[in-house]
Amino acid sequence: MSTNSRMSVAVHVLAWIAYDRRGTDKEVGTSERIATSVNTNAVVIRRTLGQLKTAGLVEGSRGRSGGWQLARDAATITLLDVYRAVGEGEIFALPSAPPDPECYVGYGIHDVLTKTYRDAQRALCEELEKVTVADVLHNALALYITRSGH
Amino acid sequence: MSTNSRMSVAVHVLAWIAYDRRGTDKEVGTSERIATSVNTNAVVIRRTLGQLKTAGLVEGSRGRSGGWQLARDAATITLLDVYRAVGEGEIFALPSAPPDPECYVGYGIHDVLTKTYRDAQRALCEELEKVTVADVLHNALALYITRSGH
DNA sequence: TCTAATGTAACTGCGACTGTTACGTGATAA
DNA sequence: TTATCACGTAACAGTCGCAGTTACATTAGA
């Protein structure tokens, strides 16, 4: 499957912002700094942040000392929110060319598949809804502490 | 998301083969005939059938009067079998470039995401497992009868 | 007003998928 | 035995989406 990594980038970005940096020299979350952690280009981060902003998950301010903040508490942002924010659509695609309507099977197959896919995707979304950005951040930090020896 | 339509094509193909054509002039299921119903090229169908064959879902015979048959009863082939047969991989991808290991968040984020994705995908697979090729065929035929007036 | 950050257009490179042609291989009907 | 028919697969083109990058306008605080 040829999926994209926007979901992963978005969650990383949100977890990064959620991490409390008060008292450090990197207090302000800029696209440049976030890009360093994600290891990509700042424009990629800004594109993702634009989607998260449209979805009401983050707030950005321009100009000097601008940057990004969460619009809601990290514990209230689920991965389903993120999934929808980054515009992830259908997991399964129907062929671009419609099937032969004269064929007994072809006539209704697309409608049947559409319904089946919808059910499957609902199950996926319910699972994503169980996990919040705060969970992800917590688990990531736990790994940092237990594994890296810092 | 930029998914492919292999899953849809594969299910269509299996449902087409599962449909009982005894007594008709189209008794033998060839890639050419199946392609007509799916409205695509026969080679595309053969590629898909090759994967289904490898997975043990269909059996093909070559030569004159060759064609395709199901290797198992349609009621025992689930959409999860198909999903695996066509080599659908991960729904969500991680970025190709690894995150910054020096960053508190970047250090463990990929492992956390991987686990979360696995849980979500498991839920999806469980849903696909509930539906069989026989179900799809049955529902598609029902639509043909109730809607088309045939 | 200088500086630093966002917002976005535009372009490139890359890879995956679909569709197509072509041809070799295998098996059977005649 | 041979002609026919269907699979198996390589090879190629066209399309599309994503990721990365550069460039520049816009915005707003120090």
Side-chain angles (χ1 to χ4, degrees):
Chain A
M1 182 172 297
S2 64
T3 41
N4 59 51
S5 63
R6 282 203 301 260
M7 177 76 181
S8 299
V9 171
V11 174
H12 189 151
V13 165
L14 289 167
W16 196 97
I17 299 175
Y19 181 70
D20 188 352
R21 287 176 184 72
R22 279 177 299 187
T24 76
D25 58 346
K26 293 181 180 175
E27 189 169 341
V28 180
T30 69
S31 60
E32 206 69 54
R33 292 206 183 102
I34 302 174
T36 300
S37 175
V38 181
N39 194 9
T40 184
N41 191 284
V43 174
V44 175
I45 299 299
R46 275 181 235 154
R47 282 201 280 245
T48 298
L49 280 165
Q51 296 181 295
L52 297 176
K53 182 183 180 182
T54 301
L57 303 182
V58 297
E59 289 167 351
S61 56
R62 302 177 66 161
R64 185 163 179 156
S65 82
W68 298 91
Q69 286 184 323
L70 295 187
R72 311 205 306 249
D73 189 276
T76 72
I77 301 177
T78 71
L79 294 206
L80 177 57
D81 294 327
V82 183
Y83 180 77
R84 287 178 173 151
V86 295
E88 295 293 359
E90 308 300 320
I91 304 288
F92 302 106
L94 297 174
S96 54
D100 178 11
E102 301 296 318
C103 170
Y104 294 159
V105 178
Y107 181 85
I109 186 84
H110 273 196
D111 284 353
V112 175
L113 285 176
T114 299
K115 183 188 177 310
T116 305
Y117 293 161
R118 195 164 49 227
D119 291 342
Q121 190 142 356
R122 184 181 306 126
L124 180 100
C125 287
E126 285 170 1
E127 206 66 25
L128 290 179
E129 199 170 16
K130 295 177 183 171
V131 183
T132 69
V133 169
D135 295 332
V136 172
L137 175 61
H138 178 267
N139 291 336
L141 291 178
L143 283 183
Y144 186 82
I145 292 167
T146 60
R147 283 210 206 138
S148 72
H150 285 76
Chain B
M1 185 171 294
S2 64
T3 40
N4 58 50
S5 62
R6 283 203 301 259
M7 177 77 181
S8 300
V9 171
V11 174
H12 188 152
V13 165
L14 290 167
W16 196 98
I17 299 174
Y19 181 69
D20 189 353
R21 285 175 186 72
R22 280 177 297 186
T24 76
D25 58 346
K26 293 181 181 174
E27 190 169 340
V28 181
T30 68
S31 60
E32 206 69 54
R33 291 207 183 100
I34 302 173
T36 300
S37 175
V38 181
N39 193 10
T40 184
N41 192 283
V43 175
V44 175
I45 299 300
R46 275 182 235 152
R47 282 201 280 245
T48 299
L49 279 165
Q51 296 180 294
L52 298 176
K53 183 182 179 181
T54 301
L57 303 183
V58 298
E59 289 168 352
S61 56
R62 302 177 67 160
R64 188 164 176 152
S65 82
W68 298 92
Q69 287 185 324
L70 295 187
R72 311 206 303 250
D73 189 277
T76 72
I77 301 177
T78 70
L79 294 206
L80 177 57
D81 293 327
V82 183
Y83 180 78
R84 287 178 174 150
V86 296
E88 295 293 359
E90 308 299 319
I91 305 287
F92 302 106
L94 298 174
S96 54
D100 177 11
E102 300 296 318
C103 170
Y104 293 158
V105 178
Y107 181 87
I109 186 85
H110 273 196
D111 284 352
V112 174
L113 285 176
T114 298
K115 181 185 179 310
T116 305
Y117 293 161
R118 195 163 51 226
D119 291 342
Q121 190 142 356
R122 185 182 304 128
L124 181 103
C125 289
E126 285 171 1
E127 205 65 25
L128 291 178
E129 199 169 17
K130 295 178 184 172
V131 184
T132 70
V133 170
D135 295 331
V136 173
L137 175 60
H138 178 266
N139 292 337
L141 291 178
L143 282 183
Y144 186 82
I145 292 167
T146 59
R147 284 209 206 140
S148 72
H150 287 76

